[in-house]
Amino acid sequence: MTLDVRDVPEGTQVANGIAGEVDVRLLDLTDHDTIRSFIRDWDTPLDILINNAGVMATPETYTDLGWELQFATNHLGHFALALGLHDALAAAGNARIVSVSSSALFASPVIFDDLHFRYRNYDKWEAYGQSKTANVLFAVEATKRWADDGITANSLMPGAIATNLQRHTGGEQTPPEKRKTVEQGASTSVLLATSPLLEGI
């Protein structure tokens, strides 16, 4: 298992709490140099790619390339990573991609004419929703284009999870008693990534 993280020391601390051998590698989805470096260094078949990095409801922020931060992180970075790892996924023979979306996708479709809020007023929830809609559309299109390569992709909504994400963003207004634990939230991704019931679906 490989954890791709922006903060290697923090990622290593998390890895130490996971059973089995866990490799920790630097990857910042808003920094395409780290994406290219990660792809270049990957040299084995890849059975499962879980796209679950994300930011939520951030203030209006743009990357060095001028991309709106949430769309850049939640979709464009994952897209570049999956595209770059296509050959490794195909080499596995029966690979799965799991993209973590959200019910917030109902807040906005992908506004192809203005992905980065250059011509409309910025709204943090519309920006988040657009990025989560893009996660779903990516899963649909990746499966359509890559099925013959033995790659299937799915997207999921894990539910409201009790993490520090809400604390940092003022996040979703789900009462604490209705939030899932991190383990419960992760179980949906694990199901999509590993269950024989979803073979080829």
Side-chain angles (χ1 to χ4, degrees):
M1 176 189 297
T2 301
L3 291 182
D4 316 324
V5 299
R6 289 178 295 175
D7 185 322
V8 172
E10 187 174 331
T12 300
Q13 186 176 357
V14 171
N16 289 338
I18 299 174
E21 185 176 338
V22 181
D23 186 23
V24 178
R25 299 190 188 190
L26 176 67
L27 180 64
D28 182 341
L29 293 176
T30 65
D31 182 343
H32 283 248
D33 286 338
T34 71
I35 296 173
R36 284 187 287 268
S37 177
F38 184 91
I39 292 166
R40 185 176 59 248
D41 293 342
W42 192 271
D43 59 1
T44 61
L46 180 59
D47 296 293
I48 299 167
L49 175 63
I50 299 180
N51 293 326
N52 72 327
V55 293
M56 181 178 75
T58 60
E60 186 172 7
T61 308
Y62 295 89
T63 69
D64 291 343
L65 294 174
W67 298 343
E68 189 276 318
L69 179 65
Q70 295 187 82
F71 197 74
T73 304
N74 300 349
H75 172 62
L76 295 175
H78 285 131
F79 176 81
L81 181 66
L83 191 64
L85 292 173
H86 169 271
D87 291 350
L89 290 160
N94 193 21
R96 296 186 190 185
I97 300 173
V98 176
S99 292
V100 178
S101 184
S102 167
S103 61
L105 66 89
F106 295 112
S108 178
V110 177
I111 308 299
F112 290 99
D113 290 336
D114 192 14
L115 294 173
H116 304 294
F117 290 83
R118 294 192 173 94
Y119 308 108
R120 54 189 167 131
N121 292 330
Y122 182 78
D123 180 284
K124 64 184 181 181
W125 288 112
E126 286 184 16
Y128 181 64
Q130 173 179 247
S131 73
K132 295 289 101 179
T133 299
N135 293 153
V136 175
L137 296 178
F138 167 75
V140 172
E141 193 64 22
T143 295
K144 184 189 299 183
R145 294 184 182 221
W146 295 349
D148 289 345
D149 299 323
I151 302 168
T152 56
N154 282 286
S155 186
L156 64 97
M157 191 292 205
I161 302 167
T163 71
N164 63 6
L165 194 58
Q166 287 88 6
R167 186 171 70 247
H168 291 314
T169 64
E172 297 171 311
Q173 301 303 309
T174 304
E177 67 274 10
K178 293 187 177 180
R179 294 179 190 162
K180 294 181 177 181
T181 65
V182 171
E183 292 78 11
Q184 289 169 333
S187 67
T188 313
S189 294
V190 172
L191 176 74
L192 283 181
T194 63
S195 173
L197 298 173
L198 295 167
E199 195 72 40
I201 295 176

Coordinates of all heavy atoms in Angstrom, one line a residue, residues 45-48 88-97 147 149-152 193 195-196 198-201:
P45 N 2.9 -2.7 -11.6 CA 1.4 -2.7 -11.9 C 0.7 -2.1 -10.7 O 1.1 -2.3 -9.6 CB 1.1 -4.1 -12.2 CG 2.4 -4.7 -12.6 CD 3.4 -4.0 -11.8
L46 N -0.4 -1.4 -11.0 CA -1.2 -0.8 -9.9 C -2.6 -1.4 -10.0 O -3.4 -1.2 -11.0 CB -1.3 0.7 -10.2 CG -2.1 1.6 -9.2 CD1 -1.5 1.4 -7.8 CD2 -2.0 3.0 -9.6
D47 N -3.0 -2.1 -8.9 CA -4.3 -2.7 -8.9 C -5.5 -1.8 -8.5 O -6.6 -1.9 -9.0 CB -4.3 -3.9 -7.8 CG -3.3 -5.0 -8.2 OD1 -3.6 -5.7 -9.2 OD2 -2.3 -5.1 -7.5
I48 N -5.2 -0.9 -7.6 CA -6.2 0.0 -7.1 C -5.7 1.4 -6.9 O -4.6 1.6 -6.4 CB -6.7 -0.5 -5.7 CG1 -7.3 -1.9 -5.8 CG2 -7.7 0.5 -5.1 CD1 -7.5 -2.6 -4.4
A88 N 0.2 1.7 -15.8 CA 0.4 0.8 -14.6 C -0.9 0.1 -14.2 O -0.9 -1.0 -13.8 CB 0.9 1.7 -13.4
L89 N -2.0 0.9 -14.3 CA -3.3 0.3 -14.0 C -3.7 -0.8 -15.1 O -4.1 -1.9 -14.7 CB -4.4 1.4 -14.1 CG -4.4 2.4 -12.9 CD1 -5.1 3.6 -13.3 CD2 -5.0 1.7 -11.6
A90 N -3.4 -0.5 -16.3 CA -3.6 -1.5 -17.4 C -2.8 -2.8 -17.2 O -3.2 -3.9 -17.5 CB -3.4 -0.9 -18.7
A91 N -1.6 -2.6 -16.7 CA -0.7 -3.7 -16.5 C -1.1 -4.7 -15.4 O -0.8 -5.8 -15.4 CB 0.7 -3.2 -16.2
A92 N -2.0 -4.1 -14.5 CA -2.5 -5.0 -13.4 C -3.5 -6.0 -14.0 O -3.8 -7.0 -13.4 CB -3.1 -4.1 -12.3
G93 N -4.1 -5.7 -15.1 CA -5.0 -6.6 -15.7 C -6.5 -6.5 -15.3 O -7.4 -6.9 -16.1
N94 N -6.7 -6.0 -14.1 CA -8.1 -5.9 -13.6 C -8.2 -4.8 -12.6 O -8.5 -5.1 -11.4 CB -8.6 -7.3 -13.1 CG -10.1 -7.3 -12.9 OD1 -10.8 -6.5 -13.4 ND2 -10.5 -8.2 -12.0
A95 N -7.8 -3.6 -12.9 CA -7.6 -2.6 -11.9 C -8.9 -1.8 -11.7 O -9.8 -1.8 -12.5 CB -6.5 -1.6 -12.4
R96 N -8.9 -1.2 -10.5 CA -10.1 -0.4 -10.2 C -9.6 1.0 -9.7 O -8.6 1.2 -9.1 CB -10.8 -1.0 -9.0 CG -11.5 -2.3 -9.3 CD -12.3 -2.8 -8.2 NE -12.7 -4.2 -8.4 CZ -13.6 -4.8 -7.5 NH1 -14.1 -4.2 -6.5 NH2 -13.9 -6.1 -7.8
I97 N -10.4 2.0 -10.1 CA -10.2 3.4 -9.7 C -11.4 3.8 -8.9 O -12.6 3.5 -9.3 CB -10.1 4.4 -10.8 CG1 -8.9 4.0 -11.7 CG2 -10.0 5.8 -10.3 CD1 -8.8 4.9 -13.0
A147 N -12.2 0.5 -20.3 CA -12.7 -0.8 -20.0 C -12.0 -1.9 -20.7 O -11.7 -2.9 -20.2 CB -14.2 -0.9 -20.2
D149 N -9.0 -1.9 -21.4 CA -7.7 -2.0 -20.8 C -7.8 -2.7 -19.4 O -6.8 -2.8 -18.7 CB -7.0 -0.6 -20.6 CG -6.8 0.1 -21.9 OD1 -6.5 -0.6 -22.9 OD2 -7.0 1.3 -21.9
G150 N -9.0 -3.2 -19.1 CA -9.1 -3.9 -17.8 C -9.3 -2.9 -16.6 O -9.0 -3.3 -15.5
I151 N -9.7 -1.7 -16.9 CA -9.8 -0.7 -15.8 C -11.2 -0.3 -15.7 O -11.9 0.0 -16.7 CB -8.9 0.5 -16.1 CG1 -7.5 0.2 -16.3 CG2 -9.1 1.6 -15.0 CD1 -6.6 1.3 -16.9
T152 N -11.8 -0.4 -14.4 CA -13.1 0.2 -14.2 C -13.0 1.2 -13.1 O -12.1 1.2 -12.2 CB -14.1 -0.9 -13.7 OG1 -13.5 -1.6 -12.5 CG2 -14.3 -2.0 -14.7
A193 N -13.3 -0.8 -3.9 CA -12.0 -1.1 -4.4 C -11.7 -2.6 -4.4 O -10.9 -3.1 -5.2 CB -10.9 -0.5 -3.5
S195 N -14.4 -5.4 -3.4 CA -15.5 -6.5 -3.3 C -15.6 -7.2 -4.6 O -15.7 -6.6 -5.7 CB -16.8 -5.8 -3.0 OG -17.9 -6.8 -3.1
P196 N -15.6 -8.6 -4.6 CA -15.9 -9.4 -5.8 C -17.3 -9.1 -6.4 O -17.5 -9.3 -7.6 CB -15.8 -10.8 -5.3 CG -15.1 -10.7 -4.0 CD -15.4 -9.4 -3.4
L198 N -18.4 -6.4 -7.2 CA -18.3 -5.2 -8.1 C -17.3 -5.5 -9.2 O -16.9 -4.6 -9.9 CB -17.9 -4.0 -7.3 CG -19.0 -3.5 -6.3 CD1 -18.4 -2.5 -5.4 CD2 -20.2 -3.0 -7.0
E199 N -17.0 -6.7 -9.4 CA -16.0 -7.1 -10.5 C -16.5 -6.6 -11.8 O -17.6 -7.0 -12.2 CB -15.8 -8.6 -10.5 CG -14.6 -9.0 -11.3 CD -13.3 -8.7 -10.6 OE1 -13.2 -8.8 -9.3 OE2 -12.4 -8.2 -11.3
G200 N -15.8 -5.8 -12.5 CA -16.2 -5.3 -13.8 C -17.3 -4.3 -13.9 O -17.8 -4.0 -14.9
I201 N -17.8 -3.9 -12.7 CA -18.9 -2.9 -12.7 C -18.4 -1.5 -12.4 O -17.5 -1.3 -11.5 CB -19.9 -3.3 -11.5 CG1 -20.5 -4.6 -11.8 CG2 -20.9 -2.2 -11.4 CD1 -21.4 -5.2 -10.8

